[in-house]
Amino acid sequence: MKRANLLLVGAVVLALAACNDNNSTTTDSGSGKAEARNSTGATEDHARGMATTLGDPDSPPGAGLPETEGTSTFVEADRKALLAVMEVDQHEIAAADAALAKNVQGEVRAYAETLREDHTRNLEATRALLGPSADATGEAMTTVGGGTAATTESATGTPGSGAQHLTEMKRKHDAEREHLQTLSGAAFQKAWIESMEKGHAEALAKLDDELIPNAQDDRVRSHLQTTRTAIAAHLETARGLQ
């Protein structure tokens, strides 16, 4: 009887040992599977990769964030006004560069530098106000008489209502600069100052008679008034240089 009890106890011990071995094998197997998932990035490595992507310093600002509606959706009159201001700014910057390239000196050189700085700053502000439409729907460049003319296009690719006017502005500005390039010395300086006086007077009149009165958006109106202040100052300086 004693012997039978000892055999029974031994059998129980062996059974328990076998169970423990099976549990250890299962745990190791499960651990192996978890490590395999991690090595392919399917579990915690994948989550870590997403966090790295969202926080990547090389990613552009706003990367990974949902797109929101911009502030550059304006009625046609406002958009046309901003594009017209862009054209004036671009022309004045190019004209200032031409004068500096001709090596004008003294007060005329200081005036050219002021024009370049002021119109560059105003151009950047105009582009920021227009947002993506400054490039995406704002300007399609076409060759006109040896220069380039900006034409506005709608989302369908058809010319916008301001296309012809902007094309005419661009053609006129190109022609003026091309004429000035044929001159040199005192003749260039005299003609250049006259051109700056005339151009700023025309821009000021357009702002006062059309662009500012027709502005619908407060942001556009404020920017046009800021532009007017600079244009008026430039006009006064040009008249003083004549």
Side-chain angles (χ1 to χ4, degrees):
M1 183 70 179
K2 232 175 178 182
R3 186 173 178 185
N5 288 338
L6 288 173
L7 289 174
L8 180 59
V9 170
V12 170
V13 171
L14 289 173
L16 290 173
C19 288
N20 287 335
D21 289 341
N22 287 338
N23 288 338
S24 176
T25 302
T26 302
T27 302
D28 291 341
S29 175
S31 177
K33 289 180 180 177
E35 290 176 1
R37 285 198 299 271
N38 287 341
S39 67
T40 60
T43 55
E44 60 193 42
D45 283 348
H46 176 69
R48 206 159 39 234
M50 286 292 290
T52 301
T53 300
L54 292 175
D56 187 352
D58 294 330
S59 298
L65 299 177
E67 293 185 3
T68 57
E69 183 178 358
T71 59
S72 58
T73 301
F74 299 116
V75 298
E76 182 65 19
D78 286 349
R79 187 168 165 277
K80 175 183 175 182
L82 292 174
L83 290 173
V85 169
M86 282 182 63
E87 169 54 31
V88 170
D89 285 332
Q90 289 167 339
H91 166 62
E92 297 299 341
I93 293 168
D97 285 339
L100 294 172
K102 291 284 187 178
N103 201 30
V104 294
Q105 297 297 317
E107 293 180 334
V108 177
R109 185 174 189 84
Y111 179 53
E113 291 172 345
T114 297
L115 288 181
R116 183 170 64 181
E117 292 173 4
D118 289 354
H119 284 286
T120 296
R121 184 165 50 249
N122 201 67
L123 178 61
E124 291 172 352
T126 306
R127 283 176 170 160
L129 193 57
L130 273 168
S133 66
D135 299 319
T137 62
E139 294 180 302
M141 305 307 292
T142 56
T143 302
V144 177
T148 56
T151 60
T152 59
E153 292 187 356
S154 66
T156 60
T158 57
S161 61
Q164 182 177 356
H165 175 70
L166 288 173
T167 299
E168 291 173 353
M169 284 182 64
K170 182 66 177 177
R171 182 186 293 112
K172 180 179 179 180
H173 290 159
D174 286 345
E176 288 177 359
R177 295 197 306 274
E178 287 171 5
H179 170 67
L180 289 172
Q181 281 297 111
T182 65
L183 306 175
S184 61
F188 170 83
Q189 181 167 302
K190 181 176 183 297
W192 184 81
I193 294 173
E194 291 175 350
S195 176
M196 294 302 97
E197 189 276 334
K198 180 182 177 182
H200 282 85
E202 291 175 349
L204 189 63
K206 186 172 185 64
L207 284 163
D208 288 341
D209 298 341
E210 178 186 346
L211 302 185
I212 293 177
N214 292 335
Q216 303 296 311
D217 191 286
D218 289 341
R219 295 163 298 173
V220 174
R221 184 179 295 105
S222 176
H223 181 60
L224 294 177
Q225 289 169 340
T226 298
T227 301
R228 186 198 184 283
T229 299
I231 293 291
H234 296 165
L235 175 59
E236 182 179 356
T237 301
R239 286 172 173 169
L241 290 173
Q242 286 183 320

